[in-house]
Amino acid sequence: MKYTNITYDSRKVQADGIFVAISGEKYDGIDFVPQAIKNGAKLIVAEKEIKVPSGVGFKKVSSARKALAELSCEFYNNPSKKLKLVGITGTNGKTTTCYLIQSILEKAGYKVGLIGTINSLLTTPESSDLQRELAEMVGKGYTHCVMEVSSHGLAQGRVYGIHFSVAIFTNLTHDHLDFHKDMDSYRDAKLRLFNGLSNDAVAIINVDDPSSKYFMEVVPGEVITYGVGQAKHELRDTKHNEFDTKVSDVRIREDEMTLMVNSFKIRTPLIGMPNVYNIIAAYQTALVFNVPQPMIKKGIEALKSVPGRVEQVDCGQPFKVVVDFAHSPDALQKLIETFRPLTEGKIILVFGCPGDRDKDKRPVMGKIAAELADVVIVTTDDPHSENPKQIIQEITGKLATGKRVTGVVDRKTAIEKALEMAKKGDAVLIAGRGHEKFQDFAGKKVALDDVEVVRKFLAS
């Protein structure tokens, strides 16, 4: 029979639809089979044998997630094969690199879709949602799509069966160890993007990252490397091609950065060394798609900001305010290090860590903050089911609290306190949430936008 839709959410089942019972972190899809059937499901797919009413089909599979991905590919007629699809994975830099590539390709005249942290509920949507979104892009005449591929998405098979034209590895640092348990497992999840590439796909890999050798080893086809240090690796010469980029004369100022890439001088408001890497990754990708280098320069320079990514908020105040998504130890360190030489006065840092996530990074981030910032206000991120005060205590740990390091539970109050104490020449860095508009308190969503909090306070 002809099915009308495919989903893992029983509430979204349509008459004559397919329901795949996957196990989530909190719920087992098997428990929602009766609701799916009530809503009109005509095929149930599950890992356990279950009884279904007459007229409803049943298929037992070894992996419901893999089945969801395979059936979704088939249901939506393999849309990824009709697009030039770029997948980006790594701890940091995915979002900005996506925006840069989109900007370049649009300048070159292509219609480009984007899937990622800022515009999706999940960084990498579940496979049926992802296939539907790609199919919609194909239907609207998109030629390219750039997407963030998270380690969770890879580990859970959300991109299984998707055909990537280009895969990018940005970097690998401490994050998400609540889910992956250790760095090797975290790295191995990201490797799935690369060992799953077809022979005609291209891998673009940051060779300045110590983990790059693992990624280069598993790629079945061509590898293109990039970096600022231009580190060497024994595999590099065997798979390297002519599209290397030469980076020089990087100059970072308060609100703009210039750098030479090959013979082209690029001027951008995206500042900091992490953005140098993001720009080079995007540059390499554009070369793979045969975009002329003058057009690449125009595309990079056309991107003025990325929501919540080193986003400077200027309301005429005599000090800098920066909102950034930095929520890993490495990202927090690089954020502070970017603004230290640009700041005449004090660096005042506001940040927190989410609940129910990677507890090991809390004291690490607290130590980095105390060592590199002048004033640290530790506050809430998304507490989820945890006690916010306990999270703050675990961040500050053995640090001497007082004038330099304090804890303020309410994030809005913490931001306002930082702004209130800021003087001319200081920099207020607000880290961890970036573009996000809500905090999660035990499932209750509370509206909070760091940028808006800053604007309202400075306006008053």
Side-chain angles (χ1 to χ4, degrees), residues 174-354:
H174 183 142
D175 206 9
H176 304 305
L177 298 192
D178 56 306
F179 182 82
H180 297 289
K181 306 308 177 191
D182 56 57
M183 286 299 291
D184 286 351
S185 300
Y186 180 36
R187 180 196 66 216
D188 290 347
K190 291 191 175 297
L191 284 172
R192 293 186 186 188
L193 175 60
F194 295 85
N195 59 26
L197 293 173
S198 59
N199 289 332
D200 62 346
V202 175
I204 297 175
I205 293 174
N206 172 14
V207 287
D208 286 352
D209 189 280
S211 298
S212 59
K213 60 182 181 180
Y214 297 101
F215 291 83
M216 295 170 76
E217 284 167 353
V218 303
V219 176
E222 183 179 21
V223 172
I224 297 173
T225 58
Y226 73 98
V228 175
Q230 295 297 312
K232 297 283 184 182
H233 187 269
E234 61 268 20
L235 289 182
R236 187 177 174 191
D237 292 336
T238 61
K239 290 186 175 182
H240 194 224
N241 84 350
E242 70 274 14
F243 287 143
D244 205 1
T245 48
K246 301 294 183 289
V247 183
S248 62
D249 201 21
V250 177
R251 300 190 182 189
I252 303 169
R253 302 178 185 86
E254 279 194 39
D255 41 30
E256 78 162 18
M257 178 170 70
T258 57
L259 64 157
M260 294 294 295
V261 184
N262 296 341
S263 59
F264 293 88
K265 184 175 183 177
I266 293 171
R267 188 180 299 273
T268 173
L270 308 180
I271 67 171
M273 285 308 296
N275 276 323
V276 174
Y277 282 91
N278 298 335
I279 286 167
I280 306 166
Y283 203 106
Q284 290 280 33
T285 305
L287 288 171
V288 170
F289 292 128
N290 297 312
V291 178
Q293 293 193 60
M295 190 65 70
I296 298 175
K297 169 183 158 71
K298 285 183 180 178
I300 293 169
E301 293 182 339
L303 182 64
K304 301 306 180 187
S305 67
V306 178
R309 302 309 189 270
V310 198
E311 184 176 352
Q312 299 205 40
V313 186
D314 186 356
C315 298
Q317 75 278 5
F319 51 87
K320 286 187 285 290
V321 180
V322 179
V323 173
D324 190 70
F325 193 53
H327 61 280
S328 69
D330 181 69
L332 187 67
Q333 180 174 335
K334 285 185 168 62
L335 175 67
I336 303 169
E337 288 175 344
T338 293
F339 283 91
R340 175 56 73 192
L342 305 175
T343 305
E344 294 176 10
K346 292 180 179 179
I347 287 183
I348 303 167
L349 174 68
V350 180
F351 87 104
C353 291

Side-chain angles (χ1 to χ4, degrees), residues 98-143:
C98 272
Y99 273 74
L100 282 161
I101 294 169
Q102 183 187 44
S103 182
I104 294 166
L105 294 177
E106 285 182 342
K107 274 289 176 189
Y110 298 110
K111 195 169 183 182
V112 188
L114 191 149
I115 299 171
T117 306
I118 291 176
N119 61 358
S120 300
L121 186 62
L122 297 172
T123 298
T124 306
E126 288 289 358
S127 55
S128 55
D129 298 329
L130 180 54
Q131 293 288 349
R132 185 191 68 249
E133 206 165 332
L134 293 173
E136 287 172 356
M137 288 181 190
V138 171
K140 292 175 182 176
Y142 285 77
T143 55

